[in-house]
Amino acid sequence: MKKALVLLLTVAMVSGLVACGSTDSTTQEASTSESSTETTTETDSADSGEIENVETDGTVYTVGICQLVQHEALDAATQGFMDALTEELGDQVTFDVQNAQGDSNTCSTIINSFVSSNTDLILANATPALQAAAAGTNEIPILGTSVTEYGVALDIDNFNGIVGGNISGTSDLAPLDGQADMLAELFPDAKTVGLLYCSAEANSQYQVDTIKAFLEEKGYSCEYYSFSDSNDISAVTTNATASVDVIYIPTDNTAASNAELINNICLPAGIPIVAGEEGICAGCGVATLSISYYDIGVATGKMAAKILAEGADISTMPIEYAPTFTKKYNAANCEALNVTIPDDYVAIEE
């Protein structure tokens, strides 16, 4: 009986050991299977990572664009910049486009947001945007466009064409002596020229001071008519029309944003306007010696591509200027004011 009991206990123990061994084996197989699955997943992840790395190496470029105000010239520069950079980098670049609505303080707020998000490059469209960017960061590359004179904008003495540091860009300056020649060509019998501009824009002051000397060499008498912001434009422009034969408006953002208002005052008064750029001329002028803002935007975009994709040193990049200038005229205003336009002028498209 004892032998039978021992035999039964032995069989039970052996069976138990076999069962445990089977369970361990099953668990090990499951573990091996899971390990195999995990290895496969890691391999897929690694493959995916390699693809992402290839893309990431060229795609993680975020460009912040701070544009001072919405008007035709600045809009064209921004579009040219985006088109050129997209053509160079494709979907490797994304844009954060912000408009300051003409407020320089808002430019600073926009720039600070770009700095906080650590954008790869900043486009500062117009002088106040450039000044805000320069004050906001000395590390993130900054490209300016639609900036007339970088030495004046950034208070650089004896400016030699290279800003240095983290700033470069393109200028919208058309030859001021050529604009003076244009005014003399169209209005040889005029005596007094009114220089209408925003005194808060340093580059506007630079332009009127420069062209004043050229015009005085030609025998014209020049008078300054400055407004501090858009609230003063109507009164100052009305005052100018009572005392001058022709008005000259430089490349000026405030004037550009209020061209229709200026036109509504000067056209009924019979006072023609020679403008520093095409957008102002289209709104209130008769003629301009103008650049293409789209083209300088394109040039700026190509500079950005060199910095982002090729590692170009922005501190050594000189300011670039428009390669060509075109004499253009506002057909409707010329007809209304009986201004005869020479054959080598091109009509501004409506």
Coordinates of all heavy atoms in Angstrom, one line a residue, residues 27-40:
T27 N 6.2 30.2 -22.2 CA 6.5 31.6 -21.8 C 7.7 32.1 -22.6 O 7.8 33.2 -23.1 CB 6.7 31.7 -20.3 OG1 5.6 31.2 -19.7 CG2 7.0 33.1 -19.9
Q28 N 8.8 31.2 -22.6 CA 10.0 31.6 -23.3 C 9.8 31.9 -24.8 O 10.3 32.8 -25.4 CB 11.1 30.5 -23.1 CG 12.4 30.9 -23.7 CD 13.5 29.9 -23.3 OE1 13.2 29.0 -22.6 NE2 14.6 30.1 -23.9
E29 N 8.9 30.9 -25.4 CA 8.6 31.1 -26.8 C 7.9 32.4 -27.0 O 8.1 33.1 -28.0 CB 7.8 29.9 -27.3 CG 8.6 28.6 -27.4 CD 7.7 27.5 -27.8 OE1 6.5 27.7 -28.1 OE2 8.2 26.3 -27.8
A30 N 6.9 32.7 -26.1 CA 6.1 34.0 -26.3 C 7.1 35.1 -26.1 O 7.0 36.1 -26.9 CB 5.0 34.0 -25.2
S31 N 8.0 35.0 -25.1 CA 9.0 36.1 -24.9 C 9.8 36.3 -26.1 O 10.1 37.4 -26.6 CB 9.8 35.8 -23.7 OG 10.8 36.7 -23.5
T32 N 10.3 35.1 -26.7 CA 11.1 35.2 -27.9 C 10.3 35.8 -29.1 O 10.9 36.7 -29.8 CB 11.6 33.8 -28.3 OG1 12.3 33.2 -27.2 CG2 12.4 33.8 -29.5
S33 N 9.0 35.4 -29.2 CA 8.2 36.0 -30.2 C 8.1 37.5 -30.0 O 8.2 38.3 -31.0 CB 6.8 35.3 -30.2 OG 6.0 35.9 -31.2
E34 N 7.8 37.9 -28.8 CA 7.6 39.3 -28.5 C 8.9 40.1 -28.8 O 9.0 41.2 -29.3 CB 7.3 39.5 -27.0 CG 5.8 39.1 -26.7 CD 5.5 39.2 -25.2 OE1 6.4 39.6 -24.5 OE2 4.4 38.8 -24.8
S35 N 10.1 39.4 -28.4 CA 11.4 40.1 -28.6 C 11.6 40.2 -30.1 O 12.1 41.3 -30.6 CB 12.5 39.2 -28.0 OG 13.7 39.7 -28.3
S36 N 11.2 39.2 -30.9 CA 11.3 39.3 -32.3 C 10.5 40.4 -32.9 O 10.9 41.1 -33.7 CB 10.9 37.9 -32.9 OG 10.9 38.0 -34.3
T37 N 9.2 40.5 -32.3 CA 8.3 41.5 -32.8 C 8.9 42.9 -32.4 O 8.9 43.8 -33.3 CB 7.0 41.4 -32.1 OG1 6.4 40.1 -32.4 CG2 6.0 42.5 -32.6
E38 N 9.4 43.0 -31.2 CA 10.0 44.3 -30.8 C 11.2 44.6 -31.7 O 11.4 45.8 -32.1 CB 10.5 44.2 -29.4 CG 9.3 44.2 -28.4 CD 9.8 44.0 -27.0 OE1 11.0 43.9 -26.8 OE2 9.0 44.0 -26.0
T39 N 12.0 43.6 -32.0 CA 13.2 43.9 -32.9 C 12.7 44.3 -34.3 O 13.3 45.3 -34.8 CB 14.0 42.6 -33.1 OG1 14.4 42.1 -31.8 CG2 15.2 42.8 -34.0
T40 N 11.6 43.7 -34.8 CA 11.1 44.1 -36.1 C 10.6 45.6 -36.0 O 10.9 46.4 -36.9 CB 9.9 43.2 -36.5 OG1 10.4 41.9 -36.5 CG2 9.4 43.6 -37.8

